[in-house]
Protein backbone atom coordinates (compact mmCIF):
# COMPACT_ATOMS: atom_id res chain seq x y z
CA UNK A 1 0.00 0.00 0.00
CA UNK A 2 1.39 3.38 -1.03
CA UNK A 3 2.09 5.58 2.00
CA UNK A 4 0.98 8.72 0.18
CA UNK A 5 -2.78 9.11 -0.28
CA UNK A 6 -3.61 12.21 -2.36
CA UNK A 7 -7.39 11.81 -2.25
CA UNK A 8 -10.11 13.63 -0.35
CA UNK A 9 -13.88 13.22 -0.28
CA UNK A 10 -14.23 15.37 -3.40
CA UNK A 11 -11.98 16.76 -6.11
CA UNK A 12 -10.81 20.36 -5.84
CA UNK A 13 -8.54 22.56 -7.92
CA UNK A 14 -5.84 23.08 -5.30
CA UNK A 15 -2.31 21.86 -5.97
CA UNK A 16 -2.16 20.18 -2.58
CA UNK A 17 1.25 21.67 -1.82
CA UNK A 18 2.41 21.62 1.78
CA UNK A 19 5.59 22.62 3.64
CA UNK A 20 8.02 19.81 4.34
CA UNK A 21 9.22 19.15 7.86
CA UNK A 22 12.81 19.95 8.72
CA UNK A 23 13.47 16.21 9.00
CA UNK A 24 11.92 15.38 5.60
CA UNK A 25 14.24 14.43 2.76
CA UNK A 26 13.88 14.94 -0.99
CA UNK A 27 14.76 11.30 -1.72
CA UNK A 28 13.47 7.91 -0.60
CA UNK A 29 14.95 4.43 -0.90
CA UNK A 30 12.45 1.58 -1.04
CA UNK A 31 12.24 -2.09 -2.02
CA UNK A 32 12.28 -1.18 -5.72
CA UNK A 33 15.63 0.66 -5.56
CA UNK A 34 17.76 -1.90 -7.41
CA UNK A 35 15.17 -2.52 -10.13
CA UNK A 36 14.37 1.14 -10.76
CA UNK A 37 17.95 2.42 -10.80
CA UNK A 38 18.81 -0.40 -13.24
CA UNK A 39 15.86 0.61 -15.43
CA UNK A 40 17.01 4.23 -15.34
CA UNK A 41 20.47 3.26 -16.54
CA UNK A 42 19.02 1.09 -19.27
CA UNK A 43 16.80 3.89 -20.59
CA UNK A 44 19.62 6.44 -20.45
CA UNK A 45 21.97 4.08 -22.28
CA UNK A 46 19.37 3.45 -24.98
CA UNK A 47 18.38 7.07 -25.65
CA UNK A 48 20.43 9.43 -23.53
CA UNK A 49 19.41 12.67 -25.24
CA UNK A 50 15.73 11.87 -24.68
CA UNK A 51 15.99 11.17 -20.95
CA UNK A 52 18.69 13.69 -19.99
CA UNK A 53 19.27 17.18 -21.31
CA UNK A 54 20.20 20.66 -20.14
CA UNK A 55 20.74 24.22 -21.28
CA UNK A 56 24.04 26.05 -20.92
CA UNK A 57 24.95 27.56 -17.57
CA UNK A 58 23.43 24.92 -15.28
CA UNK A 59 26.64 23.59 -13.71
CA UNK A 60 26.33 25.46 -10.38
CA UNK A 61 22.73 24.32 -9.87
CA UNK A 62 23.63 20.73 -10.80
CA UNK A 63 26.39 20.64 -8.20
CA UNK A 64 24.06 22.09 -5.58
CA UNK A 65 21.54 19.37 -6.42
CA UNK A 66 24.27 16.73 -6.14
CA UNK A 67 25.33 18.09 -2.76
CA UNK A 68 21.75 18.09 -1.45
CA UNK A 69 20.97 14.59 -2.69
CA UNK A 70 24.17 12.98 -1.40
CA UNK A 71 23.55 14.57 2.02
CA UNK A 72 19.99 13.22 2.06
CA UNK A 73 21.10 9.74 1.02
CA UNK A 74 23.62 9.60 3.86
CA UNK A 75 20.97 10.77 6.30
CA UNK A 76 18.45 8.23 4.97
CA UNK A 77 20.83 5.26 5.02
CA UNK A 78 24.28 5.90 6.53
CA UNK A 79 25.11 2.20 6.36
CA UNK A 80 24.91 1.94 2.58
CA UNK A 81 25.89 5.47 1.55
CA UNK A 82 29.07 7.33 2.52
CA UNK A 83 30.76 10.54 1.43
CA UNK A 84 34.36 11.27 2.34
CA UNK A 85 35.53 14.87 1.93
CA UNK A 86 38.97 16.45 1.88
CA UNK A 87 38.35 20.03 0.86
CA UNK A 88 36.86 19.84 -2.62
CA UNK A 89 38.11 16.30 -3.15
CA UNK A 90 35.15 13.99 -2.50
CA UNK A 91 34.73 10.24 -2.62
CA UNK A 92 31.24 8.76 -2.85
CA UNK A 93 30.41 5.16 -1.90
CA UNK A 94 27.11 3.47 -2.75
CA UNK A 95 27.09 -0.04 -1.29
CA UNK A 96 23.61 -0.87 -2.62
CA UNK A 97 24.93 -0.52 -6.19
CA UNK A 98 28.47 -1.58 -5.29
CA UNK A 99 29.84 1.66 -6.75
CA UNK A 100 32.30 4.33 -5.70
CA UNK A 101 33.34 7.58 -7.37
CA UNK A 102 36.02 10.14 -6.58
CA UNK A 103 35.63 13.67 -7.94
CA UNK A 104 36.47 17.32 -7.36
CA UNK A 105 33.39 19.19 -6.22
CA UNK A 106 32.45 21.88 -8.73
CA UNK A 107 34.57 20.52 -11.58
CA UNK A 108 32.31 18.89 -14.18
CA UNK A 109 35.13 17.02 -15.91
CA UNK A 110 36.00 15.16 -12.70
CA UNK A 111 32.81 13.11 -13.11
CA UNK A 112 32.12 10.67 -15.94
CA UNK A 113 28.75 12.38 -16.56
CA UNK A 114 27.14 15.76 -15.97
CA UNK A 115 26.60 16.20 -12.21
CA UNK A 116 22.80 15.95 -12.44
CA UNK A 117 23.01 12.93 -14.75
CA UNK A 118 25.46 11.20 -12.44
CA UNK A 119 23.57 11.77 -9.18
CA UNK A 120 20.27 10.89 -10.85
CA UNK A 121 21.54 7.36 -11.41
CA UNK A 122 22.05 6.93 -7.66
CA UNK A 123 18.37 7.42 -6.86
CA UNK A 124 14.88 6.39 -7.95
CA UNK A 125 13.63 9.95 -8.34
CA UNK A 126 13.39 11.90 -11.58
CA UNK A 127 15.14 15.28 -11.33
CA UNK A 128 14.30 18.61 -12.94
CA UNK A 129 15.94 22.00 -12.36
CA UNK A 130 14.00 25.25 -12.84
CA UNK A 131 15.81 28.58 -12.89
CA UNK A 132 14.72 31.54 -10.74
CA UNK A 133 12.15 32.51 -13.37
CA UNK A 134 10.59 29.04 -13.34
CA UNK A 135 12.12 27.95 -16.67
CA UNK A 136 13.09 24.28 -17.08
CA UNK A 137 16.87 24.34 -17.62
CA UNK A 138 17.99 20.75 -16.91
CA UNK A 139 16.63 17.36 -16.08
CA UNK A 140 16.95 13.60 -15.95
CA UNK A 141 13.44 12.33 -16.61
CA UNK A 142 12.96 8.59 -17.03
CA UNK A 143 9.55 7.86 -15.50
CA UNK A 144 7.19 10.67 -16.52
CA UNK A 145 3.53 10.16 -17.32
CA UNK A 146 2.48 11.71 -20.64
CA UNK A 147 5.35 14.17 -21.15
CA UNK A 148 9.07 14.29 -21.87
CA UNK A 149 11.96 16.51 -20.89
CA UNK A 150 12.76 17.86 -24.35
CA UNK A 151 9.16 19.03 -24.80
CA UNK A 152 9.55 21.23 -21.72
CA UNK A 153 13.22 22.28 -21.77
CA UNK A 154 13.54 26.05 -22.02
CA UNK A 155 9.87 26.63 -21.22
CA UNK A 156 8.44 28.50 -18.25
CA UNK A 157 6.31 26.66 -15.69
CA UNK A 158 2.99 27.89 -17.10
CA UNK A 159 4.03 26.85 -20.62
CA UNK A 160 5.06 23.44 -19.31
CA UNK A 161 1.52 22.82 -18.14
CA UNK A 162 -0.18 24.27 -21.22
CA UNK A 163 -1.63 20.89 -22.34
CA UNK A 164 -3.63 20.58 -19.11
CA UNK A 165 -7.43 21.07 -19.36
CA UNK A 166 -8.61 24.68 -19.05
CA UNK A 167 -10.39 23.84 -15.80
CA UNK A 168 -6.96 23.57 -14.11
CA UNK A 169 -5.77 27.08 -15.11
CA UNK A 170 -6.36 28.68 -11.67
CA UNK A 171 -4.37 25.87 -10.05
CA UNK A 172 -1.45 26.35 -12.44
CA UNK A 173 -1.37 30.12 -11.93
CA UNK A 174 -1.32 29.62 -8.15
CA UNK A 175 1.45 27.04 -8.46
CA UNK A 176 3.51 29.40 -10.60
CA UNK A 177 3.32 32.09 -7.91
CA UNK A 178 4.24 29.52 -5.28
CA UNK A 179 7.38 28.48 -7.16
CA UNK A 180 8.49 32.10 -7.40
CA UNK A 181 8.13 32.51 -3.64
CA UNK A 182 9.66 29.30 -2.26
CA UNK A 183 12.39 30.49 0.13
CA UNK A 184 15.69 28.79 0.84
CA UNK A 185 15.32 26.27 3.65
CA UNK A 186 11.56 25.91 3.21
CA UNK A 187 11.01 23.06 0.71
CA UNK A 188 7.52 22.05 -0.37
CA UNK A 189 5.95 18.77 -1.43
CA UNK A 190 2.82 17.50 -3.15
CA UNK A 191 1.42 14.19 -4.38
CA UNK A 192 0.10 13.78 -7.90
CA UNK A 193 -2.30 10.91 -8.62
CA UNK A 194 -3.27 8.69 -11.53
CA UNK A 195 -4.60 5.23 -12.36
CA UNK A 196 -2.79 3.24 -15.04
CA UNK A 197 -3.29 0.01 -16.97
CA UNK A 198 -0.25 -2.03 -15.94
CA UNK A 199 2.87 -0.95 -14.08
CA UNK A 200 4.99 0.53 -16.88
CA UNK A 201 7.09 3.25 -15.25
CA UNK A 202 8.24 5.02 -18.40
CA UNK A 203 5.04 6.51 -19.78
CA UNK A 204 6.79 9.42 -21.47
CA UNK A 205 5.09 10.98 -24.46
CA UNK A 206 6.82 8.72 -26.99
CA UNK A 207 4.76 5.88 -25.50
CA UNK A 208 1.41 7.70 -25.43
CA UNK A 209 -0.01 6.16 -28.61
CA UNK A 210 1.17 2.65 -27.79
CA UNK A 211 -0.09 2.96 -24.21
CA UNK A 212 -3.61 3.90 -25.34
CA UNK A 213 -3.52 0.98 -27.78
CA UNK A 214 -2.42 -1.30 -24.96
CA UNK A 215 -5.48 -0.24 -22.96
CA UNK A 216 -7.83 -0.81 -25.90
CA UNK A 217 -6.40 -4.26 -26.51
CA UNK A 218 -6.57 -5.10 -22.81
CA UNK A 219 -10.12 -3.94 -22.07
CA UNK A 220 -11.43 -7.48 -22.31
CA UNK A 221 -9.10 -8.39 -19.44
CA UNK A 222 -10.64 -5.77 -17.14
CA UNK A 223 -13.26 -8.06 -15.68
CA UNK A 224 -14.64 -7.37 -12.18
CA UNK A 225 -12.41 -10.19 -10.93
CA UNK A 226 -9.21 -9.00 -12.62
CA UNK A 227 -9.35 -5.20 -12.62
CA UNK A 228 -7.78 -4.98 -9.16
CA UNK A 229 -4.68 -6.71 -10.53
CA UNK A 230 -4.55 -4.93 -13.91
CA UNK A 231 -5.12 -1.32 -12.82
CA UNK A 232 -2.42 0.36 -10.74
CA UNK A 233 -2.63 3.40 -8.53
CA UNK A 234 0.26 5.70 -9.48
CA UNK A 235 1.30 8.43 -7.02
CA UNK A 236 4.11 10.85 -7.79
CA UNK A 237 5.63 12.25 -4.61
CA UNK A 238 7.07 15.59 -5.70
CA UNK A 239 9.34 18.00 -3.83
CA UNK A 240 10.42 21.58 -4.60
CA UNK A 241 13.60 22.93 -3.00
CA UNK A 242 15.17 26.36 -3.48
CA UNK A 243 18.93 26.01 -4.02
CA UNK A 244 20.72 28.69 -2.02
CA UNK A 245 23.54 29.82 -4.32
CA UNK A 246 22.13 29.38 -7.82
CA UNK A 247 18.61 30.46 -6.74
CA UNK A 248 17.23 27.61 -8.85
CA UNK A 249 14.53 25.11 -7.85
CA UNK A 250 15.27 21.39 -7.57
CA UNK A 251 12.13 19.46 -8.50
CA UNK A 252 12.15 15.75 -7.57
CA UNK A 253 9.57 13.13 -8.56
CA UNK A 254 9.42 9.69 -6.94
CA UNK A 255 6.83 7.51 -8.68
CA UNK A 256 5.09 4.92 -6.51
CA UNK A 257 2.86 2.23 -8.03
CA UNK A 258 0.62 -0.39 -6.47
CA UNK A 259 -2.06 -2.79 -7.80
CA UNK A 260 -5.50 -1.43 -7.05
CA UNK A 261 -6.43 -4.62 -5.17
CA UNK A 262 -3.75 -3.80 -2.59
CA UNK A 263 -4.99 -0.23 -2.18
CA UNK A 264 -8.62 -1.24 -1.48
CA UNK A 265 -7.74 -3.62 1.35
CA UNK A 266 -8.41 -0.54 3.45
CA UNK A 267 -12.12 -0.05 2.69
CA UNK A 268 -12.15 3.48 4.02
CA UNK A 269 -9.49 4.44 1.47
CA UNK A 270 -11.50 2.71 -1.26
CA UNK A 271 -14.55 4.77 -0.32
CA UNK A 272 -12.62 8.02 -0.42
CA UNK A 273 -11.14 7.16 -3.84
CA UNK A 274 -14.63 6.42 -5.17
CA UNK A 275 -16.07 9.66 -3.83
CA UNK A 276 -13.12 11.61 -5.22
CA UNK A 277 -13.14 10.06 -8.69
CA UNK A 278 -16.87 10.63 -9.13
CA UNK A 279 -16.24 14.40 -8.88
CA UNK A 280 -13.20 14.70 -11.19
CA UNK A 281 -14.00 16.74 -14.35
CA UNK A 282 -14.25 14.56 -17.50
CA UNK A 283 -11.57 16.63 -19.25
CA UNK A 284 -9.09 15.73 -16.53
CA UNK A 285 -10.05 12.04 -16.67
CA UNK A 286 -9.28 12.16 -20.40
CA UNK A 287 -6.00 14.02 -19.82
CA UNK A 288 -4.90 11.35 -17.37
CA UNK A 289 -5.70 8.65 -19.98
CA UNK A 290 -8.30 7.04 -17.73
CA UNK A 291 -11.33 7.51 -19.97
CA UNK A 292 -11.18 4.03 -21.52
CA UNK A 293 -11.50 2.24 -18.17
CA UNK A 294 -13.01 4.94 -15.93
CA UNK A 295 -16.50 3.36 -15.74
CA UNK A 296 -15.06 -0.05 -14.85
CA UNK A 297 -12.85 1.54 -12.21
CA UNK A 298 -15.88 3.23 -10.62
CA UNK A 299 -17.87 -0.01 -10.62
CA UNK A 300 -14.97 -1.87 -9.05
CA UNK A 301 -14.66 0.67 -6.25
CA UNK A 302 -18.42 0.53 -5.68
CA UNK A 303 -18.16 -3.24 -5.23
CA UNK A 304 -15.79 -2.90 -2.27
CA UNK A 305 -17.96 -3.46 0.80
Amino acid sequence: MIKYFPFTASFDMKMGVSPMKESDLVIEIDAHYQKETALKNSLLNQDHAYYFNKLQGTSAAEWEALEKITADLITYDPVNFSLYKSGKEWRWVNRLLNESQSFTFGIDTSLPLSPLDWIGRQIQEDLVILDNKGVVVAGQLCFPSGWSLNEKLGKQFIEVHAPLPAVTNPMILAANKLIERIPVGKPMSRNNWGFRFGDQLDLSSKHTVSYRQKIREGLSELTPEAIGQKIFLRVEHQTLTRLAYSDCILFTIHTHQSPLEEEVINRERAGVMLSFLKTVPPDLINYKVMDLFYDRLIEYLKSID
Side-chain angles (χ1 to χ4, degrees):
M1 188 176 295
I2 298 173
K3 66 179 180 179
Y4 302 108
F5 191 70
F7 303 105
T8 53
S10 63
F11 176 79
D12 63 43
M13 295 311 304
K14 296 178 181 177
M15 285 287 286
V17 178
S18 58
M20 295 172 65
K21 298 177 183 176
E22 189 174 340
S23 58
D24 289 343
L25 307 175
V26 302
I27 56 87
E28 300 172 292
I29 302 295
D30 61 30
H32 305 288
Y33 177 78
Q34 306 281 357
K35 178 181 178 181
E36 292 181 6
T37 52
L39 177 56
K40 261 193 175 189
N41 272 286
S42 176
L43 293 171
L44 287 158
N45 290 338
Q46 291 170 24
D47 194 352
H48 185 257
Y50 184 80
Y51 295 103
F52 175 81
N53 207 344
K54 63 179 184 176
L55 303 181
Q56 292 184 343
T58 63
S59 179
E62 291 184 63
W63 281 105
E64 276 192 273
L66 181 152
E67 184 175 26
K68 168 63 177 170
I69 291 166
T70 53
D72 277 15
L73 284 168
I74 294 166
T75 301
Y76 194 94
D77 187 353
V79 173
N80 286 304
F81 299 101
S82 301
L83 183 61
Y84 305 96
K85 298 181 182 180
S86 178
K88 291 188 175 182
E89 300 303 316
W90 292 16
R91 180 170 176 268
W92 171 252
V93 178
N94 180 336
R95 296 176 183 86
L96 290 179
L97 297 181
N98 194 29
E99 293 179 3
S100 64
Q101 179 68 50
S102 297
F103 55 89
T104 304
F105 184 83
I107 305 299
D108 289 6
T109 54
S110 67
L111 281 171
L113 302 162
S114 294
L116 192 72
D117 194 14
W118 178 80
I119 194 59
R121 298 175 193 235
Q122 305 290 314
I123 57 177
Q124 293 164 258
E125 285 78 5
D126 282 325
L127 303 174
V128 176
I129 293 178
L130 311 174
D131 70 9
N132 59 8
K133 296 180 178 63
V135 174
V136 177
V137 295
Q140 186 194 81
L141 192 72
C142 295
F143 306 143
S145 186
W147 61 294
S148 68
L149 179 64
N150 289 327
E151 293 171 354
K152 313 301 182 183
L153 195 68
K155 293 184 178 180
Q156 207 274 341
F157 185 82
I158 290 180
E159 294 179 279
V160 165
H161 289 85
L164 276 167
V167 69
T168 64
N169 286 345
M171 176 178 70
I172 299 305
L173 289 171
N176 189 61
K177 291 180 180 178
L178 173 70
I179 284 177
E180 293 174 354
R181 297 171 182 171
I182 292 176
V184 173
K186 301 288 184 180
M188 310 292 287
S189 70
R190 70 180 294 264
N191 297 305
N192 191 30
W193 62 273
F195 291 85
R196 300 289 180 261
F197 182 84
D199 62 352
Q200 181 178 336
L201 270 170
D202 175 16
L203 288 174
S204 52
S205 51
K206 71 178 180 180
H207 297 298
T208 298
V209 173
S210 62
Y211 173 63
R212 288 194 71 91
Q213 184 61 29
K214 177 182 175 182
I215 298 174
R216 291 189 188 96
E217 293 173 353
L219 282 176
S220 61
E221 303 173 23
L222 294 183
T223 62
E225 297 77 24
I227 189 171
Q229 301 167 17
K230 301 289 185 180
I231 298 297
F232 282 68
L233 172 62
R234 181 176 172 121
V235 177
E236 297 177 354
H237 179 64
Q238 305 173 350
T239 73
L240 295 155
T241 303
R242 176 77 64 187
L243 301 172
Y245 297 105
S246 64
D247 200 32
C248 291
I249 294 285
L250 173 63
F251 177 38
T252 73
I253 311 163
H254 189 129
T255 300
H256 299 265
Q257 299 190 119
S258 172
L260 190 55
E261 65 179 4
E262 292 184 9
E263 296 301 313
V264 300
I265 292 173
N266 183 316
R267 295 178 180 178
E268 182 179 351
R269 283 165 66 110
V272 173
M273 281 192 283
L274 174 62
S275 176
F276 178 91
L277 287 171
K278 287 167 70 175
T279 63
V280 177
D283 284 354
L284 192 56
I285 292 295
N286 294 341
Y287 174 79
K288 288 180 177 282
V289 198
M290 296 169 53
D291 49 303
L292 293 173
F293 58 80
Y294 173 79
D295 291 340
R296 301 187 197 203
L297 174 59
I298 293 295
E299 289 304 312
Y300 176 76
L301 292 172
K302 284 181 179 178
S303 74
I304 307 300
D305 294 328

